[in-house]
Amino acid sequence: MASPIIAPSILAADFSKLGEEVRAVANADWIHVDIMDGHFVPNLSFGPDITRTVDKITDQHLDVHLMIENPERWVDHYVDAGADCVIFHVEATEDHVALAQHLRAKGVKAGFSLKPGTPIEPYLADLPHFDLVLVMSVEPGFGGQSFMPDQLEKVRALREAIDAAQLDTLIEIDGGISEKTIRAAAEAGCDAFVAGSAVYGKEDPAAAVDNLRQLATI
Ligand code: DX5
Ligand code: ZN
């Protein structure tokens, strides 16, 4: 199996020193950027300007997670801001396949995400249109919540469907990933792992990234 992808979430970073915080995880594979609009989720984070700032700080792959209503209205702003992959929620859009096609035509990767209560089965046939599926293992909106182990059923169903169809769609998991939970997520079939508090809550974020990667290596 390919080396696990570790994606620190800057939502958990100290914004008074964002540049330093991003550079502190230079050994991470991706940087996860959480966009919240105060409508789709009961919290507000930041938008395209901070995304662009992060893109200027680093050459790392920017994994942009849109927890917003009407993602079709906003995706181009995030593409222009330097997103490498734009992930939107299927609960927030009418036509997830059309939005994925739009993103791919713009030259960025397309991902969809599901809240814990949203089943994966209706979306399995659409996987060829997507580079990534982001499984939420907490209710989206806040960092620092507890991992929901029942979401690994969704990961297993995805792994089976992706392998059976010989697709290279990546499975990413987001919420409550830590040194205690990452191995179970890796064993269920995840390729990429978002970690906020388990990276930025540590004295040495770079060491936390390396440790998580090692624990996720099967
Ligand atoms: C939650 C966000 C997550 C969050 C993860 O809505 O999508 O990316 O920052 O934080 P931790 O790893 O602390 O659960
Ligand atoms: Zn996220």
Side-chain angles (χ1 to χ4, degrees):
M1 199 185 152
S3 174
I5 294 162
I6 306 296
S9 166
I10 57 158
L11 188 66
D14 179 344
F15 271 71
S16 71
K17 46 173 186 169
L18 184 57
E20 239 175 89
E21 294 278 80
V22 172
R23 283 187 287 269
V25 293
N27 59 330
D29 306 274
W30 295 351
I31 300 292
H32 187 79
V33 181
D34 282 310
I35 310 295
M36 303 179 181
D37 67 351
H39 293 277
F40 182 73
V41 289
N43 194 10
L44 198 56
S45 60
F46 40 79
D49 291 343
I50 294 284
T51 307
R52 184 175 288 105
T53 300
V54 176
D55 187 52
K56 281 188 190 146
I57 298 167
T58 178
D59 290 334
Q60 279 152 296
H61 170 114
L62 294 196
D63 188 45
V64 176
H65 178 194
L66 301 181
M67 287 164 274
I68 64 174
E69 302 279 10
N70 294 321
E72 41 285 290
R73 253 186 74 188
W74 298 102
V75 287
D76 290 357
H77 294 280
Y78 291 95
V79 173
D80 293 345
D84 293 286
C85 180
V86 175
I87 304 161
F88 56 85
H89 272 262
V90 285
E91 302 90 351
T93 185
E94 295 281 304
D95 193 343
H96 53 284
V97 171
L99 193 48
Q101 286 168 335
H102 174 83
L103 286 165
R104 282 178 157 185
K106 291 245 165 194
V108 303
K109 294 189 187 305
F112 72 86
S113 184
L114 317 102
K115 289 183 176 185
T118 305
I120 186 64
E121 285 71 21
Y123 303 101
L124 293 176
D126 302 326
L127 289 173
H129 296 284
F130 288 89
D131 301 288
L132 179 144
V133 180
L134 179 67
V135 174
M136 290 309 300
S137 41
V138 298
E139 284 299 338
F142 300 91
Q145 304 182 73
S146 299
F147 182 72
M148 298 167 75
D150 57 332
Q151 296 304 310
L152 294 182
E153 276 310 312
K154 218 177 266 180
V155 172
R156 288 186 198 100
L158 272 165
R159 183 79 275 151
E160 210 177 300
I162 289 167
D163 292 349
Q166 296 184 301
L167 298 170
D168 50 17
T169 309
L170 295 174
I171 307 174
E172 185 175 30
I173 192 152
D174 184 4
I177 289 295
S178 71
E179 55 279 12
K180 292 194 178 72
T181 57
I182 196 167
R183 188 143 190 110
E187 282 169 356
C190 292
D191 305 290
F193 307 83
V194 178
S197 33
V199 169
Y200 283 113
K202 293 283 157 67
E203 200 64 41
D204 184 344
V209 167
D210 285 340
N211 186 38
L212 289 171
R213 193 186 286 109
Q214 201 186 333
L215 289 167
T217 303
I218 299 173

